[in-house]
Amino acid sequence: MEDGMFKQAIFVRDDGFALRRIACVMDAIEFLEEWPLERRGLLHAAASDTCYSAYDGRKSVDAAHKTFTTWARRVGVIEDVPAAPPWMTGPKIDGAGHPTEIDR
């Protein structure tokens, strides 16, 4: 298996309340396993199969990410959490293009 980490985390609502960060294949598998039996369907089965296959190295981590995201959108639990713009998280730079004292 690759390292199992997703290139971009997926944020989902757990039972409609708590926000959960799905950062890797194992996180996705755990979320899918916790999903109520009566609410599972073909897309859930496909997402589970793809995630387990990625965990075992038979499919790519990207395939697991895509399938889990598709399932999460379909069941309405995905949350689009925008990434912070670089100017909010990058180093502080002075007018000459050098890091400020805070970032040195």
Side-chain angles (χ1 to χ4, degrees):
M1 178 180 93
E2 301 169 42
D3 69 359
M5 296 300 293
F6 292 151
K7 290 179 184 170
Q8 182 176 356
I10 304 162
F11 291 89
V12 292
R13 289 276 172 201
D14 189 1
D15 293 331
F17 300 105
L19 188 63
R20 283 181 56 179
R21 181 175 185 262
I22 307 297
C24 65
V25 172
M26 186 49 71
D27 291 346
I29 289 170
E30 288 174 0
F31 191 83
L32 289 163
E33 287 295 322
E34 293 169 5
W35 196 249
L37 291 173
E38 66 276 4
R39 295 181 61 197
R40 296 181 186 188
L42 292 177
L43 195 52
H44 180 277
S48 292
D49 181 59
T50 303
C51 288
Y52 276 112
S53 293
Y55 183 79
D56 292 341
R58 294 176 285 131
K59 291 192 179 179
S60 71
V61 172
D62 285 341
H65 183 275
K66 183 176 181 179
T67 306
F68 182 84
T69 301
T70 300
W71 171 80
R73 282 192 194 289
R74 183 69 56 92
V75 298
V77 296
I78 200 159
E79 287 290 323
D80 291 320
V81 177
W87 61 266
M88 292 178 79
T89 59
K92 309 292 184 272
I93 299 176
D94 65 16
H98 303 299
T100 62
E101 285 297 320
I102 295 171
D103 293 318
R104 287 188 188 163

